Amino acid sequence: MLDATPDCIKVLSVDGKLVTMNRAGCLALNVPAESEFGMPWLPLLPEQVHELGLAALHQAAKGHNARFPGQSESDGIRYWDNLLTPIVDNAGQVQSILCVSRDVTEKMRIERELEAAIHREKLLSREMHHRIKNLFTVVSALISISEKEAASLQSPARATKILREKLQALGRASDAAFADRTGEHFDTKQIELGSLVQSVLKPYGDRFQANGCQIYVGSAIMTMLALFLHELATNSVKYGAFSADDGLVSVQWNSGESGLYLSWIEEGGPKIEEAPLRQGFGSEMVDHLVQSAGGTVNRNWRSQGLVTELHLPLSALI
């Protein structure tokens, strides 16, 4: 009957030696069924659960029920709920310990998927709020840029036309970066990085320069790159090069065996005295997306302007 259950059932001595174990336990801990047992129990478990297992064993040896999470790796990683129950004699002395380990791998998987889904929903909700706030900032900046361009052309009346063109360009960039991949707007799974950079930053006119090798990125990473560039541009409008009349942004990239390297270099904006004490939500969100793709983001707060460096492995670009 004990061999028929999928639970791992073990009898331990008070000092933690394995007295006997059913078939499921032998399979989980990779112990031959014909073993005479008697070996220490904890060394059979992965090292990372030894401390929790030892604490539970001490509790059970004192006559208290104890529980701790564990895992095994003999047939892929599996997670276990371990319950230790002391077996006492008529005098109340602990004679041995019954350990029942139940496979909770599927439960753990469902819980983690639920946690990830909840996290994504919270992230999307905060992102929507953040983007709405940034929308007003971007539109205000585009109005200012359009007025300055019209003034430089000595044609103030053209400001509205210039603004309309910039908003339309921003809309096209949004369509290119965020349109439904299964909809009529997309008939390809890849886009050339230079085109994506130009599309996202086109509303800023000649205030930016783009230079890099020809490389195509997959639709899975396209949205992240568009968000990354858009967030940098928005912050530049608020605090950096795009907020100053003579400010310029240079976007440079290259690729090799180790992946894609992209640099965002600002100059001509307000002088930076020191790095900010904390990041805004938008930057935190973009960093999280980059890290989830296996990449890294580094920021160098130079006095003459921010330099942001992005690295993505080749595997993320497909």
Coordinates of all heavy atoms in Angstrom, one line a residue, residues 135-222:
L135 N 1.9 61.5 -22.4 CA 1.3 62.0 -23.6 C 1.2 63.5 -23.6 O 1.6 64.2 -24.6 CB 0.0 61.3 -23.8 CG -0.8 61.8 -25.1 CD1 0.0 61.4 -26.3 CD2 -2.2 61.1 -25.1
F136 N 0.8 64.0 -22.5 CA 0.6 65.5 -22.4 C 2.0 66.2 -22.5 O 2.1 67.2 -23.1 CB -0.1 65.8 -21.1 CG -1.5 65.4 -21.1 CD1 -1.9 64.4 -20.3 CD2 -2.5 66.1 -21.9 CE1 -3.3 64.0 -20.2 CE2 -3.8 65.7 -21.8 CZ -4.2 64.6 -21.0
T137 N 3.0 65.5 -21.8 CA 4.3 66.1 -21.9 C 4.9 66.1 -23.3 O 5.5 67.1 -23.7 CB 5.3 65.3 -21.0 OG1 4.8 65.3 -19.6 CG2 6.7 65.8 -21.0
V138 N 4.7 65.0 -24.0 CA 5.2 64.9 -25.4 C 4.5 65.9 -26.3 O 5.2 66.6 -27.1 CB 5.0 63.5 -25.9 CG1 5.3 63.4 -27.4 CG2 6.0 62.5 -25.2
V139 N 3.2 66.0 -26.2 CA 2.5 66.9 -27.0 C 2.9 68.4 -26.7 O 3.1 69.2 -27.7 CB 0.9 66.8 -26.8 CG1 0.2 67.9 -27.5 CG2 0.5 65.4 -27.4
S140 N 3.0 68.7 -25.5 CA 3.5 70.0 -25.1 C 4.9 70.3 -25.7 O 5.1 71.4 -26.2 CB 3.5 70.2 -23.6 OG 4.0 71.4 -23.2
A141 N 5.8 69.4 -25.6 CA 7.1 69.5 -26.2 C 7.1 69.7 -27.7 O 7.8 70.5 -28.3 CB 8.0 68.4 -25.8
L142 N 6.2 68.9 -28.3 CA 6.1 69.0 -29.8 C 5.6 70.4 -30.2 O 6.0 70.9 -31.2 CB 5.2 67.9 -30.3 CG 5.8 66.5 -30.3 CD1 4.8 65.5 -30.8 CD2 7.1 66.4 -31.0
I143 N 4.6 70.9 -29.4 CA 4.1 72.3 -29.7 C 5.3 73.3 -29.6 O 5.4 74.1 -30.5 CB 3.0 72.6 -28.7 CG1 1.8 71.8 -29.0 CG2 2.7 74.1 -28.8 CD1 0.7 72.0 -28.0
S144 N 6.1 73.1 -28.6 CA 7.2 74.1 -28.4 C 8.2 73.9 -29.5 O 8.7 74.9 -30.1 CB 7.9 73.8 -27.1 OG 9.0 74.6 -26.9
I145 N 8.5 72.7 -29.9 CA 9.5 72.4 -31.0 C 8.9 73.0 -32.3 O 9.7 73.6 -33.1 CB 9.8 70.9 -31.1 CG1 10.6 70.5 -29.9 CG2 10.6 70.6 -32.4 CD1 10.8 69.0 -29.9
S146 N 7.6 72.8 -32.5 CA 7.0 73.2 -33.8 C 7.1 74.8 -33.9 O 7.3 75.4 -34.9 CB 5.6 72.7 -33.9 OG 5.5 71.3 -33.9
E147 N 6.8 75.4 -32.7 CA 6.8 76.9 -32.7 C 8.2 77.4 -33.0 O 8.4 78.4 -33.7 CB 6.3 77.4 -31.4 CG 4.8 77.2 -31.1 CD 4.4 77.6 -29.7 OE1 5.3 77.7 -28.8 OE2 3.2 77.8 -29.5
K148 N 9.2 76.7 -32.4 CA 10.6 77.2 -32.7 C 11.0 76.9 -34.1 O 11.7 77.8 -34.7 CB 11.6 76.4 -31.7 CG 11.4 76.8 -30.3 CD 12.2 76.0 -29.3 CE 12.0 76.4 -27.9 NZ 12.7 75.5 -27.0
E149 N 10.6 75.8 -34.7 CA 10.9 75.6 -36.1 C 10.2 76.6 -37.0 O 10.8 77.1 -38.0 CB 10.5 74.1 -36.5 CG 11.4 73.0 -36.0 CD 11.0 71.7 -36.5 OE1 10.3 71.6 -37.5 OE2 11.5 70.7 -36.0
A150 N 9.0 76.9 -36.7 CA 8.2 77.9 -37.5 C 8.9 79.3 -37.4 O 9.0 80.0 -38.3 CB 6.8 78.0 -37.1
A151 N 9.4 79.6 -36.1 CA 10.0 80.9 -35.9 C 11.3 81.0 -36.7 O 11.7 82.0 -37.3 CB 10.3 81.1 -34.4
S152 N 12.1 79.8 -36.7 CA 13.3 79.8 -37.5 C 13.1 80.0 -39.0 O 14.0 80.5 -39.7 CB 14.1 78.5 -37.2 OG 13.4 77.4 -37.8
L153 N 11.9 79.6 -39.5 CA 11.5 79.8 -40.9 C 10.9 81.1 -41.1 O 10.5 81.4 -42.2 CB 10.6 78.7 -41.3 CG 11.2 77.2 -41.3 CD1 10.1 76.2 -41.6 CD2 12.3 77.1 -42.3
Q154 N 10.8 81.9 -40.0 CA 10.1 83.2 -40.1 C 8.7 83.1 -40.6 O 8.2 83.9 -41.4 CB 11.0 84.2 -40.9 CG 12.3 84.5 -40.3 CD 13.1 85.5 -41.1 OE1 12.7 85.9 -42.2 NE2 14.2 86.0 -40.5
S155 N 8.0 82.0 -40.2 CA 6.7 81.8 -40.6 C 5.9 81.2 -39.4 O 5.6 80.0 -39.4 CB 6.6 80.9 -41.8 OG 5.3 80.6 -42.2
P156 N 5.5 82.1 -38.4 CA 4.8 81.6 -37.3 C 3.5 80.8 -37.6 O 3.1 79.9 -36.9 CB 4.5 82.9 -36.5 CG 5.6 83.8 -36.9 CD 5.8 83.5 -38.4
A157 N 2.9 81.2 -38.7 CA 1.6 80.6 -39.1 C 1.8 79.1 -39.4 O 0.8 78.3 -39.4 CB 1.0 81.3 -40.3
R158 N 3.0 78.7 -39.7 CA 3.3 77.3 -40.1 C 3.4 76.4 -38.9 O 3.5 75.2 -39.0 CB 4.6 77.2 -40.9 CG 4.5 77.8 -42.3 CD 5.7 77.4 -43.1 NE 5.7 75.9 -43.3 CZ 6.7 75.3 -43.9 NH1 7.8 76.0 -44.3 NH2 6.7 74.0 -44.0
A159 N 3.4 76.9 -37.7 CA 3.6 76.1 -36.5 C 2.5 75.0 -36.4 O 2.8 73.9 -36.0 CB 3.5 77.0 -35.2
T160 N 1.3 75.4 -36.7 CA 0.2 74.4 -36.6 C 0.4 73.2 -37.6 O 0.2 72.0 -37.2 CB -1.2 75.0 -36.8 OG1 -1.4 76.0 -35.8 CG2 -2.3 74.0 -36.7
K161 N 0.8 73.6 -38.8 CA 1.1 72.6 -39.8 C 2.2 71.7 -39.4 O 2.2 70.4 -39.6 CB 1.4 73.2 -41.2 CG 1.6 72.3 -42.3 CD 1.8 73.0 -43.6 CE 2.0 72.1 -44.8 NZ 3.2 71.3 -44.7
I162 N 3.3 72.3 -38.9 CA 4.5 71.5 -38.5 C 4.1 70.6 -37.3 O 4.5 69.4 -37.3 CB 5.6 72.4 -38.0 CG1 6.1 73.2 -39.2 CG2 6.7 71.6 -37.4 CD1 7.1 74.3 -38.9
L163 N 3.3 71.1 -36.4 CA 2.8 70.2 -35.3 C 2.0 69.1 -35.8 O 2.2 67.9 -35.3 CB 2.0 71.1 -34.3 CG 1.4 70.3 -33.1 CD1 2.4 69.6 -32.3 CD2 0.5 71.2 -32.3
R164 N 1.1 69.3 -36.7 CA 0.2 68.3 -37.2 C 1.1 67.2 -37.9 O 0.9 66.0 -37.7 CB -0.8 68.8 -38.2 CG -1.7 67.8 -38.7 CD -2.7 68.4 -39.7 NE -3.6 69.4 -39.1 CZ -3.5 70.7 -39.4 NH1 -2.6 71.1 -40.2 NH2 -4.3 71.5 -38.8
E165 N 2.1 67.6 -38.6 CA 3.0 66.6 -39.3 C 3.7 65.8 -38.3 O 3.9 64.6 -38.5 CB 4.0 67.4 -40.2 CG 3.3 68.0 -41.4 CD 4.3 68.9 -42.2 OE1 5.4 69.1 -41.7 OE2 3.9 69.3 -43.3
K166 N 4.2 66.4 -37.2 CA 4.9 65.7 -36.2 C 4.0 64.7 -35.4 O 4.4 63.6 -35.2 CB 5.6 66.7 -35.2 CG 6.7 67.5 -35.8 CD 7.4 68.3 -34.7 CE 8.5 69.1 -35.4 NZ 9.6 68.2 -35.9
L167 N 2.8 65.1 -35.1 CA 1.8 64.2 -34.5 C 1.5 63.0 -35.4 O 1.4 61.9 -35.0 CB 0.6 65.0 -34.1 CG 0.7 65.9 -32.9 CD1 -0.5 66.7 -32.7 CD2 1.1 65.2 -31.6
Q168 N 1.4 63.3 -36.7 CA 1.1 62.2 -37.6 C 2.3 61.2 -37.7 O 2.1 60.0 -37.8 CB 0.8 62.8 -39.0 CG -0.6 63.5 -39.1 CD -0.8 64.3 -40.4 OE1 0.2 64.5 -41.2 NE2 -2.0 64.7 -40.7
A169 N 3.5 61.8 -37.7 CA 4.7 60.9 -37.7 C 4.7 60.1 -36.4 O 5.1 58.9 -36.5 CB 5.9 61.8 -37.8
L170 N 4.4 60.7 -35.3 CA 4.4 59.9 -34.1 C 3.3 58.8 -34.1 O 3.5 57.7 -33.6 CB 4.1 60.9 -32.9 CG 4.2 60.3 -31.5 CD1 5.6 59.8 -31.2 CD2 3.8 61.3 -30.4
G171 N 2.2 59.1 -34.7 CA 1.1 58.1 -34.9 C 1.6 57.0 -35.8 O 1.3 55.8 -35.5
R172 N 2.3 57.3 -36.9 CA 2.8 56.2 -37.7 C 3.8 55.4 -37.0 O 3.9 54.2 -37.2 CB 3.4 56.9 -39.0 CG 2.4 57.5 -40.0 CD 3.1 57.8 -41.3 NE 4.2 58.7 -41.2 CZ 4.0 60.1 -41.3 NH1 2.8 60.5 -41.5 NH2 5.0 60.9 -41.2
A173 N 4.7 56.0 -36.2 CA 5.6 55.2 -35.4 C 5.0 54.3 -34.4 O 5.3 53.2 -34.3 CB 6.6 56.2 -34.7
S174 N 3.9 54.8 -33.8 CA 3.1 54.0 -32.9 C 2.5 52.8 -33.6 O 2.5 51.7 -33.1 CB 2.0 54.8 -32.2 OG 1.3 54.0 -31.3
D175 N 1.9 53.1 -34.8 CA 1.3 52.0 -35.6 C 2.4 50.9 -35.9 O 2.2 49.7 -35.8 CB 0.7 52.5 -36.9 CG -0.6 53.3 -36.6 OD1 -1.2 53.1 -35.5 OD2 -1.0 54.0 -37.5
A176 N 3.6 51.4 -36.4 CA 4.6 50.5 -36.8 C 5.1 49.6 -35.6 O 5.5 48.5 -35.8 CB 5.8 51.2 -37.4
A177 N 5.2 50.2 -34.4 CA 5.7 49.5 -33.3 C 4.7 48.7 -32.5 O 5.1 47.7 -32.0 CB 6.4 50.6 -32.3
F178 N 3.5 49.1 -32.5 CA 2.5 48.5 -31.6 C 1.3 47.9 -32.2 O 0.5 47.3 -31.5 CB 2.0 49.5 -30.5 CG 3.1 50.2 -29.8 CD1 3.4 51.5 -30.0 CD2 4.0 49.5 -29.0 CE1 4.4 52.2 -29.3 CE2 5.0 50.1 -28.3 CZ 5.2 51.4 -28.5
A179 N 1.2 47.9 -33.6 CA 0.0 47.4 -34.2 C 0.0 45.9 -34.0 O 1.0 45.2 -33.8 CB 0.1 47.7 -35.7
D180 N -1.2 45.3 -34.1 CA -1.4 43.9 -33.9 C -0.7 43.1 -35.0 O -0.8 43.3 -36.1 CB -2.9 43.6 -34.0 CG -3.2 42.1 -33.8 OD1 -2.3 41.3 -33.5 OD2 -4.4 41.8 -33.9
R181 N 0.2 42.2 -34.5 CA 1.1 41.5 -35.5 C 0.3 40.6 -36.4 O 0.7 40.2 -37.5 CB 2.1 40.6 -34.7 CG 3.0 41.3 -33.7 CD 3.7 42.5 -34.4 NE 4.7 43.0 -33.5 CZ 4.5 44.0 -32.6 NH1 3.3 44.6 -32.6 NH2 5.4 44.5 -31.9
T182 N -1.0 40.3 -36.0 CA -1.8 39.4 -36.9 C -2.8 40.2 -37.8 O -3.5 39.7 -38.5 CB -2.7 38.5 -36.0 OG1 -3.5 39.2 -35.2 CG2 -1.8 37.6 -35.1
G183 N -2.7 41.6 -37.6 CA -3.6 42.4 -38.3 C -3.1 42.8 -39.7 O -2.0 42.4 -40.1
E184 N -3.8 43.6 -40.4 CA -3.5 43.9 -41.8 C -2.3 44.8 -41.9 O -1.7 45.0 -42.9 CB -4.7 44.6 -42.5 CG -5.1 45.9 -41.8 CD -6.3 46.5 -42.4 OE1 -6.9 45.9 -43.3 OE2 -6.6 47.7 -42.0
H185 N -1.8 45.5 -40.8 CA -0.7 46.4 -40.8 C 0.6 45.7 -40.9 O 1.6 46.3 -41.2 CB -0.7 47.3 -39.5 CG -2.0 48.1 -39.4 ND1 -2.3 49.1 -40.3 CD2 -3.0 48.1 -38.5 CE1 -3.4 49.7 -40.0 NE2 -3.8 49.1 -38.9
F186 N 0.6 44.4 -40.6 CA 1.9 43.6 -40.6 C 1.9 42.4 -41.5 O 1.0 41.6 -41.3 CB 2.3 43.2 -39.1 CG 3.1 44.2 -38.4 CD1 2.5 45.1 -37.6 CD2 4.5 44.1 -38.5 CE1 3.3 46.1 -37.0 CE2 5.3 45.1 -37.9 CZ 4.7 46.0 -37.1
D187 N 2.8 42.3 -42.4 CA 3.0 41.1 -43.2 C 4.4 40.6 -43.0 O 4.8 39.8 -43.8 CB 2.7 41.4 -44.7 CG 3.5 42.5 -45.2 OD1 4.4 43.0 -44.5 OD2 3.3 42.9 -46.4
T188 N 5.1 41.0 -42.0 CA 6.4 40.5 -41.8 C 6.6 40.3 -40.3 O 6.0 41.0 -39.5 CB 7.5 41.5 -42.3 OG1 8.8 41.0 -42.0 CG2 7.3 42.8 -41.7
K189 N 7.6 39.5 -39.9 CA 7.8 39.2 -38.5 C 9.1 40.0 -38.0 O 9.5 39.9 -36.9 CB 8.0 37.7 -38.2 CG 6.8 36.9 -38.4 CD 7.0 35.5 -38.1 CE 5.7 34.7 -38.2 NZ 5.9 33.2 -37.9
Q190 N 9.7 40.7 -39.0 CA 10.9 41.5 -38.6 C 10.9 42.9 -39.2 O 10.1 43.2 -40.1 CB 12.2 40.7 -39.2 CG 12.5 39.4 -38.5 CD 13.8 38.9 -38.9 OE1 14.2 38.9 -40.0 NE2 14.5 38.3 -37.9
I191 N 11.6 43.8 -38.5 CA 11.8 45.1 -39.0 C 13.2 45.6 -38.9 O 13.9 45.1 -38.0 CB 10.8 46.1 -38.2 CG1 10.9 47.5 -38.8 CG2 11.2 46.1 -36.8 CD1 9.8 48.4 -38.2
E192 N 13.7 46.4 -39.8 CA 15.1 46.8 -39.8 C 15.2 47.9 -38.6 O 14.4 48.7 -38.5 CB 15.4 47.5 -41.1 CG 16.9 47.5 -41.4 CD 17.6 48.7 -40.8 OE1 17.0 49.8 -40.9 OE2 18.7 48.5 -40.2
L193 N 16.2 47.7 -37.8 CA 16.3 48.5 -36.6 C 16.4 50.0 -36.9 O 15.8 50.8 -36.3 CB 17.6 48.1 -35.8 CG 17.9 48.9 -34.5 CD1 16.7 48.8 -33.6 CD2 19.1 48.4 -33.8
G194 N 17.1 50.4 -38.0 CA 17.2 51.8 -38.4 C 15.9 52.4 -38.7 O 15.6 53.5 -38.3
S195 N 15.0 51.6 -39.3 CA 13.7 52.1 -39.7 C 12.9 52.3 -38.4 O 12.1 53.3 -38.3 CB 13.0 51.1 -40.6 OG 13.6 50.9 -41.8
L196 N 13.0 51.4 -37.4 CA 12.3 51.5 -36.2 C 12.8 52.8 -35.4 O 11.9 53.5 -34.9 CB 12.5 50.3 -35.3 CG 11.8 50.3 -33.9 CD1 10.3 50.3 -34.1 CD2 12.2 49.0 -33.1
V197 N 14.1 53.0 -35.4 CA 14.6 54.2 -34.7 C 14.1 55.4 -35.3 O 13.6 56.4 -34.7 CB 16.1 54.2 -34.7 CG1 16.7 55.5 -34.1 CG2 16.7 53.0 -33.9
Q198 N 14.1 55.5 -36.7 CA 13.7 56.7 -37.4 C 12.2 56.9 -37.2 O 11.7 58.0 -37.0 CB 13.9 56.5 -38.9 CG 15.4 56.5 -39.3 CD 16.0 57.9 -39.2 OE1 15.3 58.9 -39.1 NE2 17.3 57.9 -39.3
S199 N 11.4 55.8 -37.1 CA 9.9 55.9 -37.0 C 9.6 56.5 -35.6 O 8.8 57.4 -35.5 CB 9.3 54.6 -37.1 OG 9.4 54.1 -38.5
V200 N 10.2 56.0 -34.5 CA 9.9 56.4 -33.2 C 10.4 57.8 -32.9 O 9.7 58.6 -32.3 CB 10.5 55.4 -32.2 CG1 10.3 56.0 -30.7 CG2 9.9 54.0 -32.3
L201 N 11.5 58.2 -33.5 CA 12.1 59.5 -33.2 C 11.8 60.6 -34.3 O 12.2 61.7 -34.1 CB 13.6 59.4 -33.0 CG 14.0 58.5 -31.8 CD1 15.6 58.5 -31.7 CD2 13.4 58.9 -30.5
K202 N 11.1 60.2 -35.3 CA 10.8 61.2 -36.4 C 10.2 62.5 -35.9 O 10.5 63.5 -36.4 CB 10.0 60.5 -37.5 CG 9.8 61.3 -38.7 CD 9.1 60.6 -39.8 CE 8.9 61.4 -41.1 NZ 8.3 60.7 -42.2
P203 N 9.3 62.4 -34.9 CA 8.6 63.7 -34.5 C 9.6 64.7 -34.0 O 9.3 65.9 -33.9 CB 7.7 63.2 -33.4 CG 7.4 61.8 -33.7 CD 8.7 61.3 -34.3
Y204 N 10.8 64.3 -33.6 CA 11.8 65.3 -33.1 C 12.7 65.9 -34.2 O 13.7 66.6 -33.9 CB 12.6 64.6 -32.0 CG 11.8 64.0 -30.9 CD1 11.4 62.7 -30.9 CD2 11.2 64.8 -29.9 CE1 10.6 62.1 -30.0 CE2 10.4 64.3 -29.0 CZ 10.1 63.0 -29.0 OH 9.2 62.5 -28.0
G205 N 12.3 65.6 -35.5 CA 13.0 66.3 -36.6 C 14.5 66.1 -36.6 O 15.0 65.0 -36.5
D206 N 15.2 67.2 -36.8 CA 16.7 67.1 -36.9 C 17.4 67.2 -35.6 O 18.6 67.5 -35.5 CB 17.2 68.2 -37.9 CG 16.8 69.6 -37.4 OD1 16.1 69.7 -36.3 OD2 17.2 70.6 -38.0
R207 N 16.6 67.0 -34.5 CA 17.2 67.1 -33.2 C 17.9 65.8 -32.8 O 18.5 65.7 -31.7 CB 16.1 67.3 -32.1 CG 15.3 68.6 -32.4 CD 16.1 69.8 -32.2 NE 16.5 69.9 -30.8 CZ 15.6 70.3 -29.8 NH1 14.4 70.7 -30.0 NH2 16.1 70.4 -28.5
F208 N 17.9 64.8 -33.7 CA 18.5 63.5 -33.4 C 19.3 63.0 -34.6 O 19.0 63.4 -35.7 CB 17.5 62.4 -32.9 CG 16.8 61.8 -34.0 CD1 17.2 60.6 -34.5 CD2 15.6 62.4 -34.5 CE1 16.5 60.0 -35.6 CE2 14.9 61.8 -35.5 CZ 15.3 60.6 -36.1
Q209 N 20.3 62.2 -34.4 CA 21.0 61.5 -35.4 C 21.0 60.0 -35.2 O 21.2 59.6 -34.0 CB 22.5 62.0 -35.5 CG 22.6 63.5 -35.8 CD 24.0 64.0 -35.7 OE1 24.9 63.3 -35.2 NE2 24.3 65.2 -36.3
A210 N 20.9 59.2 -36.2 CA 20.9 57.7 -36.0 C 21.9 57.2 -37.0 O 22.0 57.5 -38.1 CB 19.5 57.2 -36.4
N211 N 22.7 56.3 -36.4 CA 23.8 55.7 -37.2 C 24.1 54.2 -36.7 O 24.3 54.1 -35.5 CB 25.1 56.5 -37.1 CG 26.2 56.0 -38.0 OD1 25.9 55.4 -39.1 ND2 27.4 56.1 -37.5
G212 N 24.0 53.3 -37.6 CA 24.3 51.9 -37.1 C 24.3 50.9 -38.3 O 23.9 51.3 -39.4
C213 N 24.6 49.7 -38.0 CA 24.6 48.7 -39.1 C 23.2 48.2 -39.4 O 22.3 48.5 -38.6 CB 25.5 47.5 -38.6 SG 24.8 46.7 -37.1
Q214 N 23.1 47.6 -40.5 CA 21.8 47.0 -40.9 C 21.5 45.7 -40.1 O 22.3 44.8 -40.3 CB 21.7 46.8 -42.4 CG 20.3 46.4 -42.8 CD 20.2 46.2 -44.3 OE1 20.9 45.4 -44.9 NE2 19.3 47.0 -45.0
I215 N 20.5 45.7 -39.3 CA 20.2 44.5 -38.5 C 18.6 44.5 -38.4 O 18.0 45.5 -38.2 CB 20.9 44.5 -37.2 CG1 20.5 43.3 -36.4 CG2 20.5 45.8 -36.4 CD1 21.3 43.1 -35.1
Y216 N 18.1 43.3 -38.5 CA 16.7 43.1 -38.4 C 16.3 42.5 -37.0 O 17.1 41.6 -36.5 CB 16.2 42.1 -39.5 CG 16.2 42.8 -40.8 CD1 17.3 42.8 -41.6 CD2 15.0 43.4 -41.3 CE1 17.3 43.5 -42.9 CE2 15.0 44.1 -42.6 CZ 16.2 44.1 -43.3 OH 16.2 44.7 -44.5
V217 N 15.3 43.0 -36.4 CA 14.8 42.5 -35.1 C 13.4 41.9 -35.3 O 12.6 42.3 -36.1 CB 14.8 43.6 -34.1 CG1 16.2 44.1 -33.8 CG2 13.9 44.7 -34.5
G218 N 13.2 40.9 -34.5 CA 11.9 40.2 -34.5 C 10.8 41.0 -33.8 O 11.0 41.9 -33.1
S219 N 9.6 40.6 -34.1 CA 8.4 41.3 -33.6 C 8.3 41.2 -32.1 O 7.8 42.1 -31.4 CB 7.1 40.7 -34.2 OG 7.0 39.3 -33.9
A220 N 8.9 40.1 -31.5 CA 8.8 39.9 -30.0 C 9.6 41.0 -29.3 O 9.2 41.5 -28.2 CB 9.3 38.5 -29.7
I221 N 10.7 41.5 -29.9 CA 11.6 42.5 -29.3 C 11.3 43.9 -29.8 O 11.7 44.8 -29.2 CB 13.1 42.1 -29.5 CG1 13.9 42.7 -28.3 CG2 13.6 42.6 -30.8 CD1 13.7 41.9 -27.0
M222 N 10.6 44.0 -30.9 CA 10.3 45.3 -31.5 C 9.6 46.2 -30.5 O 9.9 47.4 -30.4 CB 9.4 45.1 -32.7 CG 9.2 46.3 -33.6 SD 8.0 46.0 -34.9 CE 8.6 44.4 -35.5

